[in-house]
């Protein structure tokens, strides 16, 4: 009876499909803000999920003893009174009959009356909670975490808002025939045929709630899935490995692209430099042959090993040579290595 009334409440209030009806009066106190629930898909035949309460809160599964500072705001939502006539031949009617156990002989429908009165909404300050969880880690040794991690179908959720009654409320059911005036009795002794049932439950009873799923990473960090697009669960090792390989691939691809760009620019520069040298007459370029100019020497004869040419041996192309010039110096070195042709003449032409 209670489950049927909460389902009817959620269906009429709506809230974009985020509200979940409390399934049992005995568990109503376990769906408070920041409480943990387990979301599990029933099977492929039932698209809806089943929510199971737990005795834990978000703080219980976090490392450290620091309390969660996110506050909870409350305000009045609406005044709810509902009377509905449900066919016994429908799924909801069968559920009510099985749940309540009333006598339905000669009846084709049941009338349900729910009197919740003024209900209040209690919700967690999401922005404050999101800031706080950036520095918190999940305790993987907690029993709830271990059990949920071993089940690929289970997703841990945090209750972010709950809807509660503010006074003593009543639910009553009457079995009868459509068109009759429905009667409601709160005591079974007034109805010996057992065609009416009623329950009364106390104030501050939770009748509906909404959740955010948790996505937990391998290092213990976690995210709140604040939209319906993002899904909760546990990061799997194979998923993390694939993501790492994908990032490495992108890094290597970007590095190779930069190297190829540098090679291309270097090659263009050398092509322009050498073409400029060869396109000019010998008398204008062969400066080393003129009187009083610097002289090519074989550095090996002076116990200087082979090394990269200062003009074309830098960067990615390590072009080496044994020739150079003792009349030039660079960075405190009393000689420079230069290819005999054409780097020696190009270098000294630029020096001029």
């Amino acid at each position: 009876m209670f489950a049927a009334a909460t389902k009817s409440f959620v269906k009429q209030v709506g809230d974009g499909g985020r509200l979940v009806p409390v399934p049992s009066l005995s568990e109503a106190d376990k769906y408070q803000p920041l409480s943990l629930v387990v979301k599990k898909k029933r099977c492929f035949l039932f698209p809806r999920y089943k929510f199971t309460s737990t005795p834990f809160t978000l703080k219980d599964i976090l490392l450290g003893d620091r309390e969660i500072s996110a506050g909870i705001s409350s305000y009045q939502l609406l005044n709810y009174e509902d009377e509905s006539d449900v066919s016994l031949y429908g799924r909801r009617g069968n559920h009510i009959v099985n749940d309540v156990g009333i006598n339905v002989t000669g009846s084709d429908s049941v009338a349900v009356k729910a009197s919740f009165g003024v209900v209040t909404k209690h919700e967690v300050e999401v922005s404050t909670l999101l800031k706080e969880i950036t520095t918190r880690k999940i305790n993987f040794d907690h029993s709830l975490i271990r059990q949920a991690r071993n089940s690929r179908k289970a997703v841990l959720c945090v209750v972010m808002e709950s809807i509660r009654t503010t006074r003593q409320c009543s639910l009553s059911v009457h079995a009868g025939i459509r068109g009759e005036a429905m009667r409601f009795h709160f005591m079974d002794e007034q109805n010996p045929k057992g065609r009416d049932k009623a329950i009364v439950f106390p104030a501050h009873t939770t009748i509906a709630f909404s959740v955010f799923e948790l996505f937990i990473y391998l290092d213990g960090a976690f995210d709140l899935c604040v939209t319906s697009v993002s899904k909760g669960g546990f990061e799997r090792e194979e998923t993390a490995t694939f993501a790492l390989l994908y990032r490495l691939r992108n890094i290597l691809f970007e590095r190779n692209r930069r190297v190829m760009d540098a090679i291309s620019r270097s090659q263009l520069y050398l092509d322009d430099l050498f073409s400029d040298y060869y396109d000019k007459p010998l008398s204008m370029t062969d400066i080393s042959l003129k009187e009083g100019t610097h002289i090519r020497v074989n550095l090996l004869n002076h116990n200087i090993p082979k090394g990269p040419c200062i003009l074309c041996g830098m960067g990615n192309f390590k072009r080496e040579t044994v020739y150079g010039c003792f009349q030039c110096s660079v960075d405190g070195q009393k000689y420079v290595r230069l290819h005999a042709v054409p780097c020696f003449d190009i270098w000294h032409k630029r020096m001029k």
Side-chain angles (χ1 to χ4, degrees):
M1 185 189 301
F2 180 81
T6 56
K7 287 180 181 179
S8 178
F9 172 82
V10 168
K11 184 177 180 180
Q12 295 184 45
V13 174
D15 196 27
R18 292 182 54 218
L19 276 181
V20 181
V22 174
S24 171
L25 182 57
S26 61
E27 296 184 351
D29 60 335
K30 296 181 180 179
Y31 296 96
Q32 306 303 322
L34 296 180
S35 296
L36 294 177
V37 298
V38 178
K39 176 182 178 182
K40 184 180 293 186
K41 195 170 184 178
R42 299 173 185 270
C43 68
F44 69 93
L45 296 176
F46 297 93
R48 293 184 178 180
Y49 291 88
K50 178 182 179 181
F51 291 87
T52 305
S53 63
T54 71
F56 304 107
T57 64
L58 179 60
K59 174 186 174 298
D60 296 331
I61 62 171
L62 299 181
L63 293 173
D65 298 327
R66 182 158 49 96
E67 295 289 339
I68 295 177
S69 60
I72 299 174
S73 58
S74 305
Y75 57 90
Q76 289 188 358
L77 184 62
L78 52 83
N79 189 343
Y80 184 79
E81 304 285 342
D82 178 60
E83 295 184 15
S84 58
D85 189 10
V86 182
S87 173
L88 287 176
Y89 302 107
R91 184 175 59 182
R92 185 182 170 200
N94 288 330
H95 177 76
I96 293 175
V97 172
N98 294 331
D99 187 28
V100 180
I102 61 175
N103 181 9
V104 295
T105 304
S107 304
D108 63 359
S109 63
V110 289
V112 181
K113 181 179 180 180
S115 178
F116 290 159
V118 176
V119 296
T120 55
K121 187 175 184 179
H122 306 260
E123 56 186 3
V124 180
E125 296 175 356
V126 179
S127 57
T128 305
L129 182 61
L130 290 176
K131 291 178 182 178
E132 183 172 356
I133 65 175
T134 56
T135 60
R136 305 296 295 269
K137 298 286 187 179
I138 294 291
N139 179 13
F140 284 109
D141 293 330
H142 195 279
S143 59
L144 179 62
I145 298 297
R146 292 200 305 267
Q147 294 173 23
R149 198 175 184 182
N150 292 332
S151 174
R152 289 183 175 267
K153 294 183 179 180
V155 177
L156 284 180
C157 305
V158 181
V159 176
M160 298 301 294
E161 62 180 11
S162 64
I163 297 177
R164 306 176 197 167
T165 61
T166 57
R167 62 170 176 80
Q168 181 174 281
C169 304
S170 63
L171 294 174
S172 55
V173 176
H174 170 74
I177 301 175
R178 286 182 181 271
E180 287 186 348
M182 292 300 183
R183 298 172 293 107
F184 297 96
H185 301 280
F186 293 101
M187 300 295 291
D188 285 343
E189 289 80 1
Q190 299 176 356
N191 183 32
K193 294 183 179 180
R195 299 174 66 86
D196 295 279
K197 289 282 185 177
I199 61 172
V200 177
F201 55 90
H204 311 298
T205 300
T206 302
I207 58 177
F209 63 95
S210 68
V211 300
F212 282 167
E213 297 181 12
L214 290 178
F215 185 83
I216 302 174
Y217 297 93
L218 292 175
D219 62 353
F222 64 100
D223 287 332
L224 282 179
C225 302
V226 298
T227 64
S228 58
V229 178
S230 53
K231 300 298 181 182
F234 289 86
E235 183 183 25
R236 304 295 175 182
E237 292 185 2
E238 56 270 22
T239 304
T241 302
F242 177 80
L244 177 61
L245 292 176
Y246 184 77
R247 287 196 296 269
L248 290 176
R249 170 190 170 277
N250 289 340
I251 292 173
L252 292 176
F253 179 81
E254 180 64 20
R255 183 175 296 176
N256 289 338
R257 186 188 65 80
R258 292 180 180 179
V259 169
M260 295 305 297
D261 289 345
I263 292 174
S264 178
R265 289 193 297 268
S266 176
Q267 189 64 42
L268 288 175
Y269 169 75
L270 292 176
D271 289 346
D272 292 341
L273 193 64
F274 293 158
S275 64
D276 181 67
Y277 170 81
Y278 286 114
D279 288 345
K280 292 185 178 181
L282 179 62
S283 59
M284 297 180 62
T285 58
D286 196 4
I287 299 175
S288 64
L289 299 179
K290 294 182 180 180
E291 185 178 356
T293 59
H294 296 193
I295 301 174
R296 304 184 187 95
V297 294
N298 190 326
L299 299 177
L300 293 178
N301 297 332
H302 300 272
N303 296 323
I304 299 175
K306 182 179 181 180
C309 174
I310 195 172
L311 188 61
C312 66
M314 300 295 106
N316 297 292
F317 293 100
K318 303 296 182 181
R319 298 185 177 94
E320 296 183 339
T321 181
V322 298
Y323 293 97
C325 177
F326 278 114
Q327 285 82 15
C328 297
S329 61
V330 175
D331 296 332
Q333 188 172 276
K334 296 182 179 181
Y335 64 91
V336 293
R337 292 187 180 90
L338 291 163
H339 283 104
V341 177
C343 298
F344 189 92
D345 292 329
I346 294 175
W347 170 264
H348 289 91
K349 181 181 68 172
R350 296 175 60 191
M351 296 297 292
K352 290 288 185 178

